[in-house]
Amino acid sequence: MSEPRVFLLPDLGEGLTEAELVSWHVSVGDTIAVDQPIAEVETAKSAVEVPSPYAGIVAELHGKPGETLDVGKPLISVTPISVGAAADDAAPAPSPDQPEVEPAETELAEPKPESTEAETYREEEKAGSGNVLIGYGTPGGHGQARRTRARKTAVALAEPEAPSSPTEDELALLRTRVPGKLGAVISPLVRRMAKEHGVDLGALHGSGESGLIMRRDVEAAMRTAAPTAEPEAEPAEAAPGPVVEPVETRSVGDQDRDARTGLSIASRTPVRGVRKAVAANMTRSRSEIPEATVWVDVDATGLLELRQRMKANGAEIPGLLSFIARFVTAGLKKFPELNTRIETAEDGSQEIVGFDGVNLGIAAQTDRGLVVPSVRGAEKMSARELDAEIRRLTDVARQGKATPAELGGGTFTLNNYGVFGVDGSAAIINHPEVGILGVGRIIDKPWVVNGELAVRKVTELTLTFDHRVCDGGTAAGFLRFVADAIENPQSLLADI
């Protein structure tokens, strides 16, 4: 048998140097195919499934769930299966009760019709495959990808008249479809569902071909099982993509006592994944950026009345945040100092780098922590276009499906913390950007209009900026520009 081939954890994009191993989809001794998902890892950007570039038998798993692995370090060792070994394994003729295997696709012939169960399994794979690494692997999660299969070996192509013998993929399929065993589960989605809901796969007999455990089998077991403990919150199964495991909180006993306070320590939660990345970025921002903050109360009544008139006319109404985003991009054109970045050379010299365009970051709170997907080329978009892209980005970010490219590359950030019911916040700049604008809740407040007291819809805008790139006059000018646009929105919304 050949020497094992070692697959190193690949570059996950955007300069990331490490990833946390969330779970393995394979075990030592399993037979895997090219592009088969072998592990789920979580980076500072998103959770992705790592596909194998090799086919063969898993010889070693280099890491345990919960460990942080460095890029370029061994992830998995795979022993290739030789053609002769595959033929020896396939020597006994399959009995009538053995499962029929799927023929492998080749470049020379069209694939034969597949069984209903195989097609059902493929649909489940589509629903369960999430973000895979850019550049290789099987795409999925969008209902457009189809499962690829390895080509037949050169021996099989050279001797078409010989009786059809199982290929490596077919042998792998035979080995995994063992009724009543964990190996009878091929789909990572089904494995995860069973794990999260406490379903014992070893006790299930699958309804699929030759006992293959399908998603419906796990769902049936979930419905019939009597609850033995307080139910956990169900994950969002309707959303395709990788299921992100909750942050592990380790309970400790009373004997673990804090020396400073004298109190018993109730739990210890590792700082890792997105939380670790946020902590590192915020620490760097605070230590490197001399920030300052300005704020202003804004009468948003005119903007709300404009949206009501649009609604009365039957027009499609963008969200309030998309209008403010439109005002922000216009303000950054007028005050480009806030759409820059500070670069420091090795000799300590610094440059202010300006950009020809705006990538507007939108701060979004997710189950994995705070992430900032960016709307690229936001200065070219109308309020309606911004609304559609903001909704798409926040949706994929909350599902854990945002790509590293979508979660990076921002030049300025807009943070709507008003959705949490607060009025203001001295936000921390998203390094290496130089500014962040926060929007508070809109509430009724007494306001003087034309010398008379009135009740108006008022919000608070807060701008935190890097004092190295501009002074207070520029920051105040930008903030006042956005505030004036909110109070008199018609002047900037001719293109919506």
Side-chain angles (χ1 to χ4, degrees):
M1 184 170 289
S2 304
E3 289 294 324
R5 305 179 69 179
V6 180
F7 174 40
L8 306 181
L9 182 65
D11 182 0
L12 302 172
E14 294 292 317
L16 299 174
T17 59
E18 63 181 21
E20 179 190 338
L21 178 59
V22 177
S23 63
W24 287 107
H25 296 335
V26 297
S27 302
V28 173
D30 286 356
T31 302
I32 60 175
V34 173
D35 283 351
Q36 177 177 334
I38 56 175
E40 182 179 353
V41 299
E42 181 178 8
T43 70
K45 299 292 186 181
S46 59
V48 296
E49 284 187 333
V50 181
S52 172
Y54 308 134
I57 299 175
V58 178
E60 186 177 358
L61 304 177
H62 301 281
K64 299 179 180 179
E67 290 185 2
T68 298
L69 307 178
D70 294 330
V71 170
K73 297 297 184 181
L75 178 65
I76 190 173
S77 296
V78 179
T79 302
I81 302 177
S82 64
V83 176
D88 291 342
D89 289 342
S95 59
D97 57 335
Q98 285 183 315
E100 295 183 4
V101 296
E102 301 165 337
E105 284 185 345
T106 72
E107 295 180 328
L108 306 179
E110 293 295 324
K112 295 180 180 179
E114 300 173 316
S115 66
T116 303
E117 296 296 348
E119 189 61 33
T120 302
Y121 162 65
R122 274 161 174 64
E123 293 302 319
E124 292 191 357
E125 281 284 70
K126 292 176 184 177
S129 61
N131 295 344
V132 295
L133 302 181
I134 299 172
Y136 76 98
T138 306
H142 306 291
Q144 298 173 346
R146 67 176 180 85
R147 190 171 176 232
T148 59
R149 294 188 294 279
R151 300 172 183 173
K152 290 184 178 179
T153 63
V155 174
L157 292 176
E159 299 178 355
E161 70 280 359
S164 176
S165 61
T167 64
E168 291 183 12
D169 284 349
E170 293 168 350
L171 291 172
L173 192 61
L174 285 170
R175 291 190 184 98
T176 53
R177 294 187 176 181
V178 180
K181 300 295 182 182
L182 188 62
V185 183
I186 297 178
S187 171
L189 173 65
V190 176
R191 290 179 186 265
R192 288 196 293 269
M193 285 180 58
K195 178 181 177 182
E196 289 163 3
H197 295 279
V199 176
D200 182 7
L201 291 173
L204 289 183
H205 184 82
S207 60
E209 183 181 359
S210 298
L212 179 65
I213 296 177
M214 313 294 287
R215 179 174 180 172
R216 58 176 176 263
D217 302 320
V218 177
E219 291 175 340
M222 289 162 48
R223 289 192 296 268
T224 57
T228 57
E230 185 176 345
E232 299 178 357
E234 287 193 17
E237 294 180 357
V243 179
V244 179
E245 306 236 350
V247 175
E248 175 188 355
T249 301
R250 178 169 59 89
S251 299
V252 296
D254 291 339
Q255 69 276 9
D256 193 353
R257 192 170 294 276
D258 179 51
R260 177 178 174 273
T261 63
L263 298 175
S264 297
I265 298 176
S267 64
R268 293 182 183 273
T269 303
V271 179
R272 59 194 189 193
V274 172
R275 176 53 55 195
K276 180 180 178 180
V278 170
N281 197 47
M282 296 299 101
T283 299
R284 185 176 183 183
S285 179
R286 283 294 195 193
S287 64
E288 293 185 10
I289 299 177
E291 61 186 32
T293 304
V294 290
W295 61 91
V296 64
D297 288 339
V298 181
D299 181 5
T301 306
L303 179 57
L304 293 175
E305 289 177 346
L306 173 64
R307 294 185 75 247
Q308 287 299 322
R309 290 196 297 271
M310 293 175 63
K311 186 176 181 180
N313 293 333
E316 180 183 353
I317 308 175
L320 282 172
L321 188 63
S322 61
F323 283 103
I324 298 175
R326 180 72 180 85
F327 303 150
V328 168
T329 57
L332 291 175
K333 285 184 179 180
K334 187 175 181 64
F335 299 92
E337 298 91 337
L338 291 168
N339 191 48
T340 60
R341 181 178 69 229
I342 290 281
E343 285 189 356
T344 303
E346 293 182 0
D347 61 1
S349 61
Q350 293 183 327
E351 288 183 328
I352 299 176
V353 180
F355 302 105
D356 183 17
V358 178
N359 290 348
L360 185 62
I362 304 295
Q365 189 67 42
T366 73
D367 292 340
R368 302 174 60 245
L370 181 66
V371 296
V372 187
S374 59
V375 179
R376 294 180 175 263
E379 81 285 355
K380 302 175 184 177
M381 298 184 180
S382 67
R384 285 198 179 93
E385 292 169 335
L386 285 166
D387 183 66
E389 184 63 3
I390 289 172
R391 292 179 187 275
R392 185 192 72 81
L393 285 172
T394 53
D395 182 55
V396 297
R398 286 170 179 148
Q399 293 182 37
K401 294 169 54 183
T403 65
E406 290 172 331
L407 290 174
T411 61
F412 187 91
T413 295
L414 178 59
N415 186 5
N416 179 23
Y417 45 70
V419 296
F420 300 112
V422 298
D423 298 327
S425 170
I428 300 176
I429 296 172
N430 184 24
H431 186 278
E433 298 170 14
V434 299
I436 180 171
L437 180 69
V439 184
R441 60 178 179 163
I442 300 177
I443 58 175
D444 291 338
K445 280 188 176 182
W447 198 263
V448 176
V449 181
N450 298 324
E452 296 184 358
L453 194 63
V455 177
R456 307 289 284 183
K457 301 291 185 182
V458 177
T459 186
E460 181 179 287
L461 300 182
T462 306
L463 173 67
T464 303
F465 65 98
D466 187 335
H467 225 312
R468 296 175 296 177
V469 301
C470 68
D471 296 324
T474 300
F478 168 80
L479 187 62
R480 191 65 254 174
F481 178 91
V482 177
D484 290 344
I486 292 175
E487 293 181 344
N488 301 283
Q490 292 87 347
S491 59
L492 282 175
L493 296 177
D495 62 337
I496 68 169

